[in-house]
Amino acid sequence: MTRQLFAIAALALGIAACSDSNAPASNEPQRISLRFAANVGTQRFVCGQSYTGLGTTNSTATATDFMLYVSDVRLLRADGSEVPLTLVQDGRWQFENIALLDFATNTGCPSATADTNLVVTGTAPAGTYTGVRFVLGVPFNRNHGDQTTAPSPLNLSRMFWSWNAGYKFVRLDLNTTGRPTGWFIHLGSTTCSPTGSATTIPTACAEPNRPTVTLTGFDPSRNVIVADMRALVSGANLDVNNVGASGCMSAPSDTDCPPVFSSFGLPFGGAAAASQSFFRVASGT
């Protein structure tokens, strides 16, 4: 009997050992880097380079700036559940849950610096992720304040309108065939109240203009998130300006905005939001 009990105990220990070998090696969070890229269709985005066949008039355009903010980044599991990505606080490109992507260099974009940032880095529980979700823009609680005293990356004057209007969530500046002095896309919140003055801090904005982007079929270790300038302007006429400042500055009265907002996945002027086409998943290199 004793020998039988010993054999059973040994067998149980062996099974337990096999079971433990299949358990996760660690419960520690893993570091994850989400890689971004700027493209113009299949071409890589380069400041100062001219791109042809853009928009509804097959315009030629040269970019002079290209930056954007993302926030509230979440990773998606195969069952659809979300896991927040806790951003690394690097003191420059990332603050709280906000990150700045900078695709512009001063070799062709006059107001840019020599540096770019093409990655959002953070930590998340160990596991397998099959998608990503994020908000394009700056959260309301950080969108209206004094840019001159804000921490980086919220301290850039070229990404700021005013305390009342807040930040430009996306800045894409173009010189085009018909608008050689500029056709601009500046996405941000509008119709904020109370107004009073540029430094009046609002309590709400009727048009927040912060689209949520969801990308599936995305493996952080293998894929890249592409911001496609060609897709963004595919329905726009880059050679004319209908009203107000040249291009789309997000105002509800700006009739140059509907096709751009559609690409962002935002409603405009009573039209329902379409599926966004600005961002897509591509294989990494």
Side-chain angles (χ1 to χ4, degrees), residues 180-203:
T181 59
W183 203 96
F184 310 105
I185 296 174
H186 294 176
L187 178 67
S189 297
T190 58
T191 323
C192 299
S193 61
T195 53
S197 70
T199 57
T200 300
I201 298 177
T203 57

Side-chain angles (χ1 to χ4, degrees), residues 117-131:
N117 183 49
L118 309 178
V119 64
V120 174
T121 303
T123 59
T128 300
Y129 299 103
T130 61

Side-chain angles (χ1 to χ4, degrees), residues 39-40 45-55 59-67 108-111 170-186 228-234 236-240 246-249 260 278:
N39 273 32
V40 185
F45 171 86
V46 178
C47 270
Q49 181 171 318
S50 294
Y51 298 93
T52 60
L54 298 175
S59 182
T60 296
T62 303
T64 59
D65 211 347
F66 195 5
M67 307 175 75
C109 292
S111 61
V170 177
R171 177 171 182 164
L172 175 59
D173 295 353
L174 304 171
N175 294 334
T176 71
T177 304
R179 303 291 298 181
T181 59
W183 203 96
F184 310 105
I185 296 174
H186 294 176
D228 191 341
M229 186 181 95
R230 184 178 295 277
L232 180 61
V233 303
S234 62
N237 184 343
L238 303 181
D239 293 328
V240 300
S246 184
C248 172
M249 295 288 187
V260 176
F278 180 37

Side-chain angles (χ1 to χ4, degrees), residues 213-254:
V213 177
T214 301
L215 299 171
T216 57
F218 174 77
D219 181 344
S221 66
R222 303 174 63 179
N223 295 125
V224 176
I225 301 168
V226 174
D228 191 341
M229 186 181 95
R230 184 178 295 277
L232 180 61
V233 303
S234 62
N237 184 343
L238 303 181
D239 293 328
V240 300
N241 182 62
N242 292 316
V243 64
S246 184
C248 172
M249 295 288 187
S250 299
S253 59
D254 193 336

Side-chain angles (χ1 to χ4, degrees), residues 138-151 154-157 159-169 192 197-203 205 210:
V138 175
F140 182 87
N141 68 322
R142 286 292 180 185
N143 193 38
H144 304 279
D146 187 352
Q147 163 265 326
T148 63
T149 61
L154 298 175
N155 57 354
L156 300 180
S157 59
M159 291 296 284
F160 192 71
W161 274 322
S162 68
W163 288 13
N164 189 251
Y167 289 86
K168 302 167 189 176
F169 304 154
C192 299
S197 70
T199 57
T200 300
I201 298 177
T203 57
C205 295
R210 295 183 190 86

